[in-house]
Amino acid sequence: MKAQPAPDETARIVVLGRQGSGKGTQAARLAAIYGVAHVSTGDAFRAAAGSGSELGRTLKSYMDRGELVPDDVVVGVIREHLFGPDAPAGFILDGFPRNVGQAEALAEMAGKRGLDIVVDLEADTQEVLHRMAGRRVCTKCGANYNVVDNPTKVSGQCDACSGPLAQRDDDTEDAIRRRLEIYETTTAPLIDWYRDRGLLAAVDAMGDVATVTARVVAAVEGVRQAKTIG
Ligand SMILES: [Zn+2]
């Protein structure tokens, strides 16, 4: 048994990983272990949109129209949320940055203190496709299942209401492959960018949740010890 690391309210960690890598789950677990805020782009967006500030209203106008939010607005929201007067000392960032431009803005905002580590959760493409293509939803009550790791008792039939199961339109293998390709072209260059700056830790994201968390914590602790010694 490895000892649990000590909480550190100043830890600044970015978690990268494509859909199906378990990024949100691992970010939440890291936040609990280190005692810092788990900040997802979605949470920051909702807080800003509900704040009534000028930036919040601009953001809301893009969200209401279902349009892609421009980088300067995304960066502004993160700046207010993470580097404003009431900002927490540390954070686990999930969903930001998404491209090299946003990473450059984050580096500028983080200043001399910088980031501790950028964790890249590496998930095998076949496994991600398999997992995501297995998702099913009940058409009557909305319950979620997965034929791979959370099947119903009777195939194709909801456990709760016996309603028929279906696959979401955006969960077909073609749609998933398209999303993975978009991730490769826009977010994958980030991996190189952070590696060049000595901040990247690639972590194998295959396996059960607790095993992956143990690997992530080992990577983070490795960096922290190196900093203490150096
Ligand atoms: Zn149902």
Side-chain angles (χ1 to χ4, degrees):
M1 268 304 278
K2 276 182 210 143
Q4 190 87 334
D8 177 0
E9 63 187 21
T10 67
R12 286 180 168 187
I13 301 168
V14 170
V15 183
L16 302 177
R18 56 192 179 182
Q19 204 174 11
S21 66
K23 176 168 60 78
T25 303
Q26 293 300 334
R29 289 169 67 93
L30 275 185
I33 288 169
Y34 287 104
V36 297
H38 170 203
V39 179
S40 76
T41 316
D43 293 340
F45 276 18
R46 277 186 288 278
S51 74
S53 71
E54 196 182 330
L55 182 65
R57 286 198 301 274
T58 305
L59 171 71
K60 198 166 179 302
S61 71
Y62 284 103
M63 289 166 73
D64 288 348
R65 292 196 300 267
E67 287 177 17
L68 192 71
V69 182
D71 274 358
D72 60 332
V73 177
V74 179
V75 168
V77 169
I78 295 293
R79 187 186 300 277
E80 272 190 7
H81 205 80
L82 283 186
F83 300 97
D86 304 323
F91 48 77
I92 311 290
L93 248 181
D94 157 16
F96 181 91
R98 276 195 202 277
N99 56 47
V100 170
Q102 291 182 0
E104 285 167 347
L106 178 61
E108 181 261 310
M109 289 188 274
K112 267 181 86 175
R113 164 68 178 78
L115 303 170
D116 294 329
I117 188 170
V118 176
V119 174
D120 178 39
L121 294 172
E122 295 185 326
D124 176 74
T125 299
Q126 281 310 316
E127 178 64 29
V128 167
L129 278 172
H130 185 58
R131 224 188 258 175
M132 292 179 62
R135 298 204 293 199
R136 297 289 183 276
V137 60
C138 172
T139 55
K140 263 173 83 182
C141 76
N144 289 294
Y145 299 96
N146 194 310
V147 296
V148 179
D149 52 23
N150 181 25
T152 50
K153 290 190 185 75
V154 179
S155 175
Q157 187 181 309
C158 178
D159 287 349
C161 75
S162 303
L165 303 187
Q167 200 169 28
R168 291 183 206 275
D169 290 343
D170 59 355
D171 271 354
T172 61
E173 182 161 334
D174 276 353
I176 296 164
R177 276 191 191 281
R178 272 198 299 278
R179 290 206 296 277
L180 292 177
E181 277 165 22
I182 291 168
Y183 181 86
E184 289 307 317
T185 53
T186 63
T187 307
L190 267 180
I191 310 294
D192 293 332
W193 196 86
Y194 279 121
R195 188 183 290 114
D196 290 347
R197 283 153 186 81
L199 283 167
L200 191 79
V203 173
D204 177 6
M206 294 291 95
D208 65 77
V209 171
T211 302
V212 176
T213 302
R215 290 183 195 132
V216 174
V217 167
V220 173
E221 291 303 297
V223 168
R224 282 168 18 125
Q225 272 157 28
K227 275 187 182 158
T228 310
I229 294 161

